[in-house]
Amino acid sequence: FGGTPVTVTPPAKVAAVTSAGPTDEDAMRTKVRTLQGLLLKHRGGPGFGAGRLRAPEAQRLEDTLVEVKGVLRSEAGMEDVKP
């Protein structure tokens, strides 16, 4: 159609990520779902209560979030920066 030719550049090489075994994947899926549930409970609303987590659940939310965040960062090839 008379336009400028388009040059296709091959995608950059991505570092290989070792695949997690089925048990590791299942464990991570469980942790992500736990995290989702705790976030919903913390938010509150119909079916979830007032929206405040008590100390044990709040600590579980924090611990699970740190763990899941670390795994996601490593899978994305990002450095995990410690606070």
Side-chain angles (χ1 to χ4, degrees):
F1 295 77
T4 308
V6 176
T7 305
V8 177
T9 306
K13 288 187 178 183
V14 177
V17 176
T18 58
S19 63
T23 56
D24 291 342
E25 190 175 305
D26 291 341
M28 184 50 57
R29 181 175 289 122
T30 299
K31 289 177 185 172
V32 169
R33 290 187 59 86
T34 298
L35 182 60
Q36 289 173 328
L38 289 169
L39 287 169
L40 285 170
K41 188 172 182 181
H42 178 67
R43 182 173 177 259
F48 295 105
R52 301 276 181 192
L53 295 178
R54 301 209 188 279
E57 287 182 320
Q59 188 60 52
R60 184 175 177 201
L61 172 68
E62 288 180 30
D63 294 343
T64 307
L65 180 59
V66 168
E67 188 174 355
V68 169
K69 182 182 78 169
V71 170
L72 291 175
R73 284 182 172 276
S74 72
E75 286 180 356
M78 299 172 66
E79 271 187 45
D80 193 18
V81 179
K82 302 288 182 194

Coordinates of all heavy atoms in Angstrom, one line a residue:
F1 N 0.8 -1.2 0.0 CA 0.0 0.0 0.0 C 0.9 1.3 0.0 O 0.4 2.3 0.4 CB -0.9 0.0 1.2 CG -1.9 -1.1 1.1 CD1 -1.6 -2.4 1.4 CD2 -3.2 -0.9 0.7 CE1 -2.5 -3.4 1.4 CE2 -4.2 -1.9 0.7 CZ -3.8 -3.2 1.0
G2 N 2.1 1.1 -0.4 CA 2.9 2.3 -0.5 C 3.5 2.9 0.7 O 4.0 4.0 0.7
G3 N 3.3 2.2 1.9 CA 3.8 2.8 3.1 C 5.2 2.4 3.4 O 5.9 1.8 2.6
T4 N 5.7 2.8 4.5 CA 7.1 2.5 4.9 C 7.2 1.0 5.3 O 6.3 0.6 6.1 CB 7.5 3.4 6.1 OG1 7.3 4.8 5.8 CG2 9.0 3.2 6.4
P5 N 8.2 0.3 4.9 CA 8.3 -1.1 5.3 C 8.6 -1.2 6.8 O 9.2 -0.4 7.4 CB 9.6 -1.6 4.5 CG 10.2 -0.4 4.0 CD 9.3 0.7 4.0
V6 N 8.0 -2.2 7.4 CA 8.1 -2.5 8.8 C 9.2 -3.5 9.1 O 9.2 -4.5 8.4 CB 6.8 -3.0 9.4 CG1 6.9 -3.3 10.8 CG2 5.7 -2.0 9.1
T7 N 10.1 -3.2 10.0 CA 11.1 -4.1 10.4 C 10.7 -4.8 11.7 O 10.4 -4.2 12.6 CB 12.5 -3.4 10.6 OG1 12.8 -2.6 9.5 CG2 13.6 -4.3 10.9
V8 N 10.8 -6.1 11.6 CA 10.4 -6.9 12.8 C 11.7 -7.3 13.6 O 12.6 -7.9 13.0 CB 9.6 -8.2 12.4 CG1 9.3 -9.0 13.7 CG2 8.4 -7.8 11.7
T9 N 11.8 -6.9 14.8 CA 12.9 -7.2 15.6 C 12.6 -8.4 16.5 O 11.5 -8.4 17.1 CB 13.3 -6.0 16.6 OG1 13.4 -4.9 15.7 CG2 14.5 -6.3 17.3
P10 N 13.5 -9.4 16.5 CA 13.1 -10.6 17.4 C 13.1 -10.2 18.8 O 13.8 -9.3 19.2 CB 14.3 -11.6 17.1 CG 15.4 -10.8 16.4 CD 14.7 -9.6 15.8
P11 N 12.3 -10.9 19.6 CA 12.2 -10.6 21.0 C 13.5 -10.8 21.7 O 14.2 -11.7 21.4 CB 11.1 -11.5 21.6 CG 10.9 -12.6 20.6 CD 11.4 -12.0 19.2
A12 N 13.7 -10.1 22.8 CA 14.9 -10.2 23.6 C 14.9 -11.6 24.3 O 13.9 -12.1 24.6 CB 15.0 -9.1 24.6
K13 N 16.1 -12.1 24.5 CA 16.2 -13.4 25.2 C 15.8 -13.2 26.6 O 16.1 -12.2 27.3 CB 17.6 -13.9 25.1 CG 18.0 -14.4 23.8 CD 19.3 -15.1 23.8 CE 19.7 -15.7 22.4 NZ 20.9 -16.4 22.5
V14 N 15.0 -14.1 27.1 CA 14.5 -14.1 28.5 C 15.2 -15.2 29.2 O 15.4 -16.3 28.7 CB 13.0 -14.3 28.5 CG1 12.5 -14.4 30.0 CG2 12.3 -13.3 27.7
A15 N 15.7 -14.8 30.4 CA 16.4 -15.8 31.2 C 15.4 -17.0 31.5 O 14.3 -16.8 31.8 CB 16.8 -15.2 32.6
A16 N 16.0 -18.2 31.4 CA 15.2 -19.4 31.7 C 14.8 -19.4 33.1 O 15.6 -19.2 34.0 CB 16.0 -20.6 31.3
V17 N 13.5 -19.7 33.3 CA 13.0 -19.9 34.7 C 12.8 -21.4 34.9 O 12.1 -22.0 34.1 CB 11.6 -19.1 34.9 CG1 11.1 -19.4 36.2 CG2 11.8 -17.7 34.6
T18 N 13.3 -21.9 36.0 CA 13.2 -23.3 36.3 C 11.7 -23.5 36.6 O 11.1 -22.8 37.4 CB 14.0 -23.8 37.4 OG1 13.7 -23.0 38.6 CG2 15.5 -23.6 37.1
S19 N 11.1 -24.5 36.0 CA 9.7 -24.8 36.2 C 9.5 -25.5 37.6 O 10.3 -26.3 37.9 CB 9.1 -25.6 35.1 OG 9.7 -26.9 35.1
A20 N 8.6 -25.0 38.3 CA 8.3 -25.6 39.6 C 7.5 -26.9 39.4 O 6.8 -27.0 38.4 CB 7.4 -24.6 40.4
G21 N 7.8 -27.8 40.3 CA 7.0 -29.1 40.2 C 5.6 -28.9 40.5 O 5.2 -27.8 41.0
P22 N 4.8 -29.9 40.3 CA 3.3 -29.8 40.5 C 3.1 -29.5 42.0 O 2.1 -28.7 42.3 CB 2.8 -31.1 40.1 CG 3.8 -31.9 39.4 CD 5.1 -31.2 39.7
T23 N 3.8 -30.0 42.9 CA 3.6 -29.8 44.3 C 3.9 -28.3 44.7 O 3.2 -27.7 45.5 CB 4.3 -30.7 45.2 OG1 5.7 -30.7 44.9 CG2 3.9 -32.2 45.0
D24 N 5.0 -27.8 44.1 CA 5.4 -26.4 44.4 C 4.3 -25.5 43.8 O 4.0 -24.5 44.4 CB 6.7 -26.1 43.7 CG 7.9 -26.8 44.4 OD1 7.7 -27.2 45.6 OD2 9.0 -26.9 43.8
E25 N 3.8 -25.8 42.6 CA 2.8 -25.0 41.9 C 1.5 -25.0 42.7 O 0.9 -24.0 42.9 CB 2.6 -25.5 40.5 CG 1.7 -24.6 39.7 CD 1.6 -25.1 38.3 OE1 2.7 -25.3 37.6 OE2 0.5 -25.3 37.8
D26 N 1.1 -26.2 43.2 CA -0.1 -26.3 44.0 C 0.1 -25.5 45.3 O -0.9 -24.8 45.8 CB -0.4 -27.8 44.4 CG -0.8 -28.5 43.1 OD1 -1.2 -27.9 42.1 OD2 -0.8 -29.8 43.2
A27 N 1.2 -25.6 46.0 CA 1.4 -24.9 47.2 C 1.4 -23.4 47.0 O 0.8 -22.6 47.8 CB 2.8 -25.2 47.8
M28 N 1.9 -22.9 45.9 CA 1.9 -21.5 45.6 C 0.5 -21.0 45.2 O 0.0 -20.0 45.7 CB 2.8 -21.1 44.4 CG 2.9 -19.7 44.1 SD 3.3 -18.5 45.5 CE 4.8 -19.2 46.1
R29 N -0.3 -21.9 44.5 CA -1.7 -21.5 44.2 C -2.5 -21.4 45.5 O -3.3 -20.5 45.6 CB -2.3 -22.6 43.3 CG -3.7 -22.3 42.9 CD -4.3 -23.3 41.9 NE -3.7 -23.1 40.6 CZ -3.0 -24.0 40.0 NH1 -2.8 -25.2 40.5 NH2 -2.4 -23.8 38.8
T30 N -2.2 -22.3 46.5 CA -2.9 -22.2 47.7 C -2.5 -20.9 48.5 O -3.4 -20.3 49.0 CB -2.5 -23.5 48.6 OG1 -2.9 -24.6 47.9 CG2 -3.2 -23.4 50.0
K31 N -1.3 -20.5 48.4 CA -0.9 -19.3 49.1 C -1.5 -18.1 48.5 O -1.9 -17.1 49.2 CB 0.7 -19.2 49.1 CG 1.3 -20.2 50.1 CD 2.8 -20.1 50.0 CE 3.4 -21.2 50.9 NZ 4.8 -21.4 50.7
V32 N -1.6 -18.1 47.1 CA -2.2 -16.9 46.4 C -3.7 -16.9 46.8 O -4.2 -15.8 47.0 CB -2.0 -17.1 44.9 CG1 -2.8 -16.1 44.2 CG2 -0.5 -16.8 44.6
R33 N -4.3 -18.0 46.8 CA -5.8 -18.0 47.1 C -6.0 -17.6 48.6 O -7.0 -16.8 48.9 CB -6.4 -19.3 46.9 CG -6.5 -19.6 45.4 CD -7.2 -20.9 45.0 NE -8.6 -20.9 45.5 CZ -9.6 -20.4 44.9 NH1 -9.4 -19.8 43.7 NH2 -10.8 -20.5 45.4
T34 N -5.1 -18.0 49.5 CA -5.2 -17.5 50.9 C -5.0 -16.0 51.0 O -5.8 -15.3 51.7 CB -4.1 -18.2 51.7 OG1 -4.3 -19.7 51.7 CG2 -4.1 -17.8 53.2
L35 N -4.1 -15.5 50.2 CA -3.8 -14.1 50.2 C -5.0 -13.3 49.7 O -5.5 -12.3 50.3 CB -2.6 -13.8 49.3 CG -2.2 -12.3 49.2 CD1 -1.8 -11.8 50.6 CD2 -1.0 -12.2 48.3
Q36 N -5.6 -13.8 48.6 CA -6.8 -13.2 48.1 C -8.0 -13.2 49.1 O -8.6 -12.2 49.3 CB -7.3 -13.9 46.8 CG -6.4 -13.8 45.6 CD -6.8 -14.7 44.5 OE1 -7.4 -15.8 44.6 NE2 -6.6 -14.2 43.3
G37 N -8.2 -14.3 49.8 CA -9.2 -14.4 50.8 C -9.0 -13.4 51.9 O -9.9 -12.8 52.4
L38 N -7.7 -13.3 52.4 CA -7.4 -12.4 53.5 C -7.6 -11.0 53.1 O -8.1 -10.1 53.8 CB -6.0 -12.6 54.0 CG -5.8 -13.9 54.8 CD1 -4.4 -14.2 55.0 CD2 -6.6 -13.9 56.1
L39 N -7.3 -10.6 51.8 CA -7.5 -9.3 51.3 C -8.9 -8.9 51.3 O -9.4 -7.8 51.6 CB -6.8 -9.1 50.0 CG -5.3 -9.0 50.0 CD1 -4.7 -9.1 48.6 CD2 -4.8 -7.7 50.7
L40 N -9.7 -9.9 50.8 CA -11.2 -9.6 50.7 C -11.8 -9.5 52.1 O -12.6 -8.6 52.4 CB -11.9 -10.8 50.0 CG -11.8 -10.8 48.5 CD1 -12.3 -12.2 48.0 CD2 -12.5 -9.7 47.9
K41 N -11.3 -10.3 53.1 CA -11.8 -10.2 54.4 C -11.4 -8.9 55.0 O -12.2 -8.2 55.8 CB -11.3 -11.4 55.3 CG -11.9 -11.4 56.6 CD -11.5 -12.7 57.3 CE -12.2 -12.8 58.7 NZ -11.8 -14.0 59.4
H42 N -10.2 -8.4 54.8 CA -9.7 -7.1 55.3 C -10.5 -6.0 54.7 O -10.8 -5.0 55.4 CB -8.2 -7.0 54.9 CG -7.6 -5.7 55.4 ND1 -7.5 -5.4 56.8 CD2 -7.2 -4.6 54.7 CE1 -7.0 -4.2 56.9 NE2 -6.8 -3.7 55.7
R43 N -10.9 -6.1 53.4 CA -11.6 -5.0 52.8 C -13.0 -4.9 53.4 O -13.6 -3.8 53.5 CB -11.8 -5.3 51.3 CG -12.5 -4.3 50.6 CD -12.4 -4.5 49.1 NE -13.2 -3.6 48.3 CZ -14.4 -3.8 47.8 NH1 -15.0 -5.0 48.0 NH2 -15.1 -2.9 47.2
G44 N -13.6 -6.1 53.8 CA -14.9 -6.1 54.4 C -16.0 -6.0 53.3 O -15.8 -6.0 52.1
G45 N -17.3 -5.9 53.8 CA -18.4 -5.8 53.0 C -19.4 -7.0 53.2 O -19.1 -7.8 54.1
P46 N -20.4 -7.0 52.4 CA -21.4 -8.1 52.6 C -20.8 -9.5 52.5 O -20.1 -9.8 51.5 CB -22.4 -7.9 51.4 CG -22.2 -6.5 51.0 CD -20.8 -6.1 51.3
G47 N -21.0 -10.3 53.5 CA -20.4 -11.6 53.5 C -19.0 -11.7 54.1 O -18.4 -12.8 54.3
F48 N -18.4 -10.5 54.3 CA -17.0 -10.5 54.8 C -16.8 -9.8 56.1 O -15.7 -9.7 56.6 CB -16.0 -9.9 53.7 CG -16.0 -10.7 52.4 CD1 -16.6 -10.2 51.3 CD2 -15.3 -11.9 52.4 CE1 -16.6 -10.9 50.1 CE2 -15.2 -12.6 51.2 CZ -15.9 -12.1 50.1
G49 N -17.9 -9.3 56.7 CA -17.8 -8.7 58.0 C -17.4 -7.2 57.9 O -17.5 -6.6 56.9
A50 N -16.9 -6.7 59.0 CA -16.6 -5.3 59.2 C -15.3 -4.8 58.4 O -15.2 -3.7 58.2 CB -16.4 -5.0 60.7
G51 N -14.5 -5.8 58.1 CA -13.3 -5.3 57.3 C -12.0 -5.1 58.1 O -11.1 -4.4 57.6
R52 N -12.0 -5.7 59.3 CA -10.7 -5.6 60.1 C -10.2 -6.9 60.4 O -11.0 -7.8 60.9 CB -11.0 -4.8 61.4 CG -11.5 -3.4 61.2 CD -10.4 -2.5 61.0 NE -11.0 -1.1 60.9 CZ -10.3 -0.1 60.5 NH1 -9.0 -0.2 60.2 NH2 -10.9 1.1 60.3
L53 N -9.0 -7.2 60.1 CA -8.4 -8.5 60.5 C -7.8 -8.3 61.9 O -7.2 -7.3 62.2 CB -7.2 -8.8 59.5 CG -7.6 -9.1 58.1 CD1 -6.4 -9.5 57.3 CD2 -8.6 -10.3 58.0
R54 N -7.9 -9.3 62.7 CA -7.3 -9.4 64.0 C -5.9 -9.7 63.9 O -5.4 -10.2 62.8 CB -8.1 -10.4 64.9 CG -9.6 -10.0 65.0 CD -10.1 -10.5 66.4 NE -11.6 -10.3 66.4 CZ -12.2 -9.2 66.7 NH1 -11.5 -8.1 66.9 NH2 -13.5 -9.1 66.8
A55 N -5.1 -9.6 65.0 CA -3.7 -9.7 64.9 C -3.2 -11.0 64.2 O -2.3 -10.9 63.4 CB -3.1 -9.6 66.3
P56 N -3.7 -12.2 64.6 CA -3.1 -13.4 63.9 C -3.3 -13.4 62.4 O -2.5 -13.8 61.7 CB -3.8 -14.5 64.6 CG -4.4 -14.0 65.8 CD -4.6 -12.5 65.6
E57 N -4.5 -13.0 62.0 CA -4.8 -13.0 60.6 C -4.1 -11.9 59.9 O -3.6 -12.0 58.7 CB -6.3 -12.8 60.3 CG -7.1 -14.0 60.6 CD -8.6 -13.9 60.3 OE1 -9.1 -12.8 60.6 OE2 -9.2 -14.8 59.8
A58 N -3.9 -10.7 60.5 CA -3.1 -9.6 59.9 C -1.7 -10.0 59.7 O -1.1 -9.8 58.7 CB -3.2 -8.4 60.8
Q59 N -1.1 -10.8 60.7 CA 0.3 -11.2 60.5 C 0.3 -12.3 59.4 O 1.3 -12.3 58.6 CB 0.8 -11.8 61.8 CG 2.2 -12.2 61.8 CD 3.1 -11.0 61.5 OE1 3.0 -9.9 62.2 NE2 4.0 -11.1 60.6
R60 N -0.7 -13.1 59.3 CA -0.7 -14.1 58.3 C -0.8 -13.5 56.9 O -0.1 -13.9 55.9 CB -1.9 -15.1 58.5 CG -1.9 -16.2 57.5 CD -3.1 -17.1 57.8 NE -3.2 -18.2 56.9 CZ -4.3 -18.9 56.7 NH1 -5.3 -18.7 57.4 NH2 -4.3 -19.9 55.8
L61 N -1.6 -12.4 56.8 CA -1.7 -11.6 55.6 C -0.3 -11.1 55.2 O 0.2 -11.2 54.0 CB -2.7 -10.5 55.7 CG -2.8 -9.5 54.6 CD1 -3.3 -10.1 53.3 CD2 -3.6 -8.3 54.9
E62 N 0.4 -10.4 56.1 CA 1.7 -9.8 55.9 C 2.7 -10.9 55.4 O 3.4 -10.7 54.5 CB 2.2 -9.1 57.1 CG 1.5 -7.8 57.4 CD 2.0 -7.1 58.6 OE1 3.2 -7.2 58.9 OE2 1.2 -6.4 59.2
D63 N 2.8 -12.0 56.2 CA 3.7 -13.1 55.9 C 3.5 -13.7 54.5 O 4.4 -13.9 53.7 CB 3.7 -14.2 56.9 CG 4.1 -13.7 58.3 OD1 4.8 -12.6 58.4 OD2 3.8 -14.4 59.3
T64 N 2.2 -13.9 54.2 CA 1.9 -14.5 52.9 C 2.2 -13.6 51.8 O 2.7 -14.0 50.7 CB 0.4 -15.0 52.9 OG1 0.1 -15.8 54.0 CG2 0.0 -15.7 51.6
L65 N 1.9 -12.3 52.0 CA 2.1 -11.3 51.0 C 3.6 -11.2 50.6 O 4.0 -11.2 49.5 CB 1.6 -9.9 51.4 CG 1.8 -8.8 50.4 CD1 1.2 -9.0 49.1 CD2 1.3 -7.5 51.0
V66 N 4.5 -11.2 51.7 CA 5.9 -11.1 51.5 C 6.4 -12.3 50.7 O 7.2 -12.2 49.7 CB 6.6 -11.0 52.8 CG1 8.1 -11.2 52.7 CG2 6.4 -9.7 53.4
E67 N 5.9 -13.5 51.0 CA 6.3 -14.7 50.4 C 5.9 -14.8 48.9 O 6.7 -15.1 48.0 CB 5.8 -16.0 51.1 CG 6.3 -17.3 50.6 CD 5.9 -18.4 51.4 OE1 5.2 -18.3 52.5 OE2 6.2 -19.6 51.0
V68 N 4.6 -14.5 48.7 CA 4.1 -14.5 47.3 C 4.8 -13.4 46.4 O 5.2 -13.7 45.3 CB 2.6 -14.3 47.3 CG1 2.0 -14.1 45.9 CG2 1.9 -15.5 47.9
K69 N 5.0 -12.2 47.0 CA 5.7 -11.2 46.3 C 7.1 -11.6 45.9 O 7.5 -11.3 44.8 CB 5.7 -9.9 47.1 CG 6.4 -8.7 46.4 CD 6.4 -7.5 47.3 CE 7.6 -7.7 48.3 NZ 7.9 -6.5 49.1
G70 N 7.8 -12.2 46.8 CA 9.1 -12.7 46.5 C 9.1 -13.7 45.3 O 10.0 -13.6 44.4
V71 N 8.2 -14.6 45.3 CA 8.1 -15.6 44.2 C 7.8 -14.9 42.9 O 8.4 -15.2 41.9 CB 7.1 -16.7 44.6 CG1 6.9 -17.6 43.4 CG2 7.6 -17.5 45.7
L72 N 6.8 -14.0 42.9 CA 6.4 -13.3 41.7 C 7.6 -12.5 41.1 O 7.8 -12.5 39.9 CB 5.2 -12.5 41.9 CG 3.9 -13.2 42.2 CD1 2.8 -12.2 42.6 CD2 3.5 -14.1 41.0
R73 N 8.3 -11.8 42.0 CA 9.4 -11.0 41.6 C 10.5 -11.9 41.0 O 11.1 -11.6 40.0 CB 10.0 -10.2 42.7 CG 9.2 -9.0 43.1 CD 9.8 -8.2 44.2 NE 9.2 -7.0 44.5 CZ 9.5 -5.9 43.8 NH1 10.4 -5.8 42.9 NH2 8.8 -4.8 44.1
S74 N 10.8 -13.1 41.6 CA 11.8 -13.9 41.1 C 11.4 -14.5 39.7 O 12.2 -14.6 38.8 CB 12.2 -15.1 42.0 OG 11.1 -16.0 42.1
E75 N 10.1 -14.8 39.5 CA 9.6 -15.3 38.3 C 9.7 -14.3 37.2 O 9.9 -14.6 36.0 CB 8.2 -15.8 38.4 CG 8.1 -17.2 39.1 CD 6.7 -17.6 39.2 OE1 5.7 -16.9 38.8 OE2 6.5 -18.8 39.8
A76 N 9.5 -13.0 37.6 CA 9.6 -11.9 36.6 C 11.0 -11.4 36.4 O 11.2 -10.5 35.5 CB 8.7 -10.7 37.1
G77 N 12.0 -12.0 37.1 CA 13.4 -11.6 36.9 C 13.7 -10.3 37.6 O 14.7 -9.7 37.3
M78 N 12.9 -9.9 38.6 CA 13.2 -8.7 39.3 C 13.9 -9.0 40.6 O 13.7 -10.0 41.2 CB 11.8 -8.0 39.6 CG 11.0 -7.6 38.4 SD 9.4 -7.0 38.9 CE 9.8 -5.5 39.7
E79 N 14.7 -8.0 41.1 CA 15.3 -8.1 42.3 C 14.3 -7.9 43.4 O 13.5 -7.0 43.4 CB 16.4 -7.1 42.5 CG 17.8 -7.6 42.0 CD 18.9 -6.6 42.4 OE1 18.9 -6.1 43.5 OE2 19.6 -6.3 41.5
D80 N 14.4 -8.7 44.5 CA 13.5 -8.5 45.6 C 14.2 -7.6 46.6 O 15.2 -7.9 47.2 CB 13.2 -9.9 46.3 CG 12.1 -9.8 47.3 OD1 11.3 -8.8 47.2 OD2 11.9 -10.7 48.2
V81 N 13.7 -6.4 46.7 CA 14.3 -5.4 47.6 C 13.7 -5.5 49.0 O 12.5 -5.5 49.2 CB 14.0 -4.0 47.0 CG1 14.6 -2.9 47.9 CG2 14.5 -3.8 45.6
K82 N 14.6 -5.7 49.9 CA 14.2 -5.9 51.3 C 14.0 -4.5 51.9 O 14.8 -3.6 51.7 CB 15.3 -6.6 52.1 CG 15.7 -8.0 51.6 CD 14.6 -9.0 51.8 CE 15.0 -10.3 51.3 NZ 14.0 -11.3 51.2
P83 N 12.8 -4.3 52.6 CA 12.6 -3.0 53.2 C 13.5 -2.7 54.3 O 14.1 -3.5 54.9 CB 11.1 -3.2 53.8 CG 10.8 -4.6 53.7 CD 11.8 -5.3 52.9

